[in-house]
Amino acid sequence: MTNWKIDESHSEIGFKVKHLMITNVSGYFTRFSGSIQTESEDFHDATISFEAAADSIDTQNVQRDEHLRNGEFFDSTNHPKISFVSTKVKKIDDEKYKLTGNLTIKGQTHPIELDVEHSGITVDPWGQQKAGFALKGRLHRTDYGLRWNATTEAGGIVLSDEVKLNMEIQLVKS
């Protein structure tokens, strides 16, 4: 069994959500950790667990970040962690995979499927073995209890329900 962990300083956990249905607002979680166990060289049998600190959300706007941390969104005081546990890794080809698992946000757990691109494995200048992955997916925020919204004067909605997930993950072999 080979153990890997997420190299936080070389990884990004990001998302985008439509605002006023005309532009995307991007954000990141700045504190997270994850571990991967695999018997194979190509990760097809990997088991993955991941956690992000809900209060580490950063959208480059202090007022918005405080709103996202409160009870109308993540309620990070009562639900400090966002977690993911894999249930299956399906290898499509040498670079592409489908990753399924259970995502928990604000105490609500639902299955999610992520598209994964494996960028390869290399050894860094300090002799550490590294593996790179790009992950993309989508979720409906209301499924996780993130129901806040408002309407514009014209009756349009402020935030879309769909959230796009974009992650760049660098693993380091333990």
Side-chain angles (χ1 to χ4, degrees):
M1 182 71 68
T2 304
N3 294 306
W4 298 78
K5 66 178 184 171
I6 293 177
D7 180 347
E8 293 174 54
S9 62
H10 296 105
S11 299
E12 294 179 352
I13 306 300
F15 62 90
K16 290 184 182 207
V17 64
K18 279 269 194 219
H19 182 256
L20 298 175
M21 306 317 288
I22 58 172
T23 57
N24 284 305
V25 172
S26 298
Y28 298 90
F29 290 93
T30 60
R31 291 190 327 275
F32 52 86
S33 63
S35 63
I36 294 84
Q37 291 80 39
T38 183
E39 299 260 353
S40 67
E41 294 287 319
D42 67 359
F43 295 90
H44 78 270
D45 62 349
T47 55
I48 301 155
S49 62
F50 168 84
E51 282 191 346
D55 68 354
S56 75
I57 195 164
D58 184 353
T59 64
Q60 303 292 306
N61 181 292
V62 173
Q63 184 178 0
R64 179 173 47 229
D65 294 346
E66 285 303 317
H67 187 208
L68 291 169
R69 289 180 187 112
N70 80 24
E72 290 184 319
F73 282 96
F74 289 102
D75 191 11
S76 62
T77 301
N78 294 310
H79 301 282
K81 299 285 183 194
I82 295 167
S83 64
F84 172 84
V85 176
S86 67
T87 55
K88 184 178 180 183
V89 176
K90 181 179 179 187
K91 186 174 180 178
I92 308 298
D93 62 32
D94 286 344
E95 296 173 354
K96 292 184 175 41
Y97 298 76
K98 293 283 187 185
L99 171 61
T100 56
N102 293 313
L103 179 64
T104 303
I105 300 173
K106 200 175 177 181
Q108 302 287 319
T109 303
H110 296 283
I112 189 168
E113 182 178 81
L114 303 170
D115 294 319
V116 180
E117 185 174 320
H118 182 27
S119 309
I121 297 176
T122 192
V123 176
D124 72 12
W126 300 273
Q128 296 178 305
Q129 193 169 9
K130 301 280 190 98
F133 297 88
L135 295 86
K136 292 183 187 236
R138 298 170 189 262
L139 62 83
H140 293 279
R141 63 186 180 85
T142 55
D143 290 347
Y144 297 91
L146 309 177
R147 291 186 172 86
W148 181 91
N149 217 333
T151 54
T152 64
E153 285 182 17
I157 60 172
V158 173
L159 290 178
S160 73
D161 184 38
E162 182 180 85
V163 178
K164 296 176 184 173
L165 305 174
N166 298 298
M167 296 161 272
E168 293 289 334
I169 303 295
Q170 191 173 113
L171 302 179
V172 60
K173 193 174 188 177
S174 299

